[in-house]
Amino acid sequence: MKILLDFLPLILFFGTFKYAENHKDWAAAFASEHLGMLVSGGSVGPDEAPVLLATLVVMLATLAQALYIKLRGRKIDLMLWISLALVVVLGGLTIWLHDATFIKWKPTGLYWGMALVFLVSDRLMGRNLLRGMLGKEIELPQKIWTRMNLSWVLFFVAMGVLNLYVAFNFSLSTWANFKAFGSTGLMLLFTLAQGLYMSRHMTDPGPKADEAEQQAASSEPRA
């Protein structure tokens, strides 16, 4: 359920964009009639309509996602806060100015924002975010946590650059496909690689627990 909730805005963005792209005249008429007050000039052209409608949908979906989490009494994580701020600001500019450039920057802003958070938390605040999330279930040497944290920083930076390369060197449709499938696939592969790397360095808490139990048993008074 959580995975579906996390990916729902992306799924809705891609689905809306593809439908509107295949029905451009309808999308332009619909956007001009219902979103005219949100758009500079009051009208939307066929080539602009797909990304404008998809942007509005992802804005509403992200807001609904945050509201749903809040109403359930759960904490909204930092990544969602960053995503919400970026999609409201950049999405609003995309719709008002009829310019997809702003929404194309949104994934890069999110990636670079997370890279900065991971880096600053570790280097300036002494808090390794990965260890904070996984440390209760996995035991690793400190140097491994540090390497993994840095690898996520570099990965997020690289993903931000890759998003800009695809966004401004290929068609809008190609960028939408990359946003939905390419970046998600790369994230999955990197996560799997991190899991394999962790498995090579995990320490086994078993012997320590057994040793502690033996020491406790030996210290018990005998009748």
Side-chain angles (χ1 to χ4, degrees), residues 38-188:
L38 302 177
V39 179
S40 175
S43 64
V44 180
D47 293 331
E48 305 165 344
V51 73
L52 263 64
L53 289 175
T55 297
L56 180 61
V57 167
V58 80
M59 289 172 67
L60 294 175
T62 307
L63 284 167
Q65 183 183 26
L67 182 60
Y68 174 79
I69 294 173
K70 198 70 176 176
L71 291 176
R72 287 179 59 88
R74 293 161 50 195
K75 182 180 178 181
I76 299 176
D77 60 46
L78 181 61
M79 194 166 188
L80 180 53
W81 278 123
I82 296 175
S83 181
L84 180 59
L86 288 170
V87 79
V88 168
V89 175
L90 299 178
L93 289 171
T94 292
I95 293 172
W96 176 251
L97 298 175
H98 307 232
D99 192 346
T101 298
F102 297 101
I103 200 62
K104 287 178 178 180
W105 270 90
K106 187 260 179 180
T108 292
L110 180 60
Y111 289 134
W112 287 354
M114 291 307 300
L116 185 62
V117 169
F118 271 65
L119 184 63
V120 171
S121 295
D122 186 50
R123 297 302 174 89
L124 299 183
M125 302 174 64
R127 291 180 54 204
N128 188 299
L129 295 183
L130 282 177
R131 187 169 189 173
M133 291 185 287
L134 304 175
K136 292 182 180 179
E137 291 80 23
I138 301 172
E139 289 193 24
L140 293 170
Q142 179 57 42
K143 66 178 182 180
I144 302 302
W145 286 118
T146 301
R147 288 176 187 172
M148 290 179 58
N149 190 82
L150 180 59
S151 69
W152 274 104
V153 171
L154 296 176
F155 175 75
F156 282 135
V157 171
M159 285 296 293
V161 173
L162 182 58
N163 174 71
L164 293 180
Y165 176 77
V166 175
F168 295 104
N169 288 277
F170 296 91
S171 68
L172 195 59
S173 181
T174 299
W175 173 74
N177 289 332
F178 172 77
K179 177 179 166 64
F181 302 107
S183 60
T184 303
L186 289 172
M187 181 74 72
L188 178 60

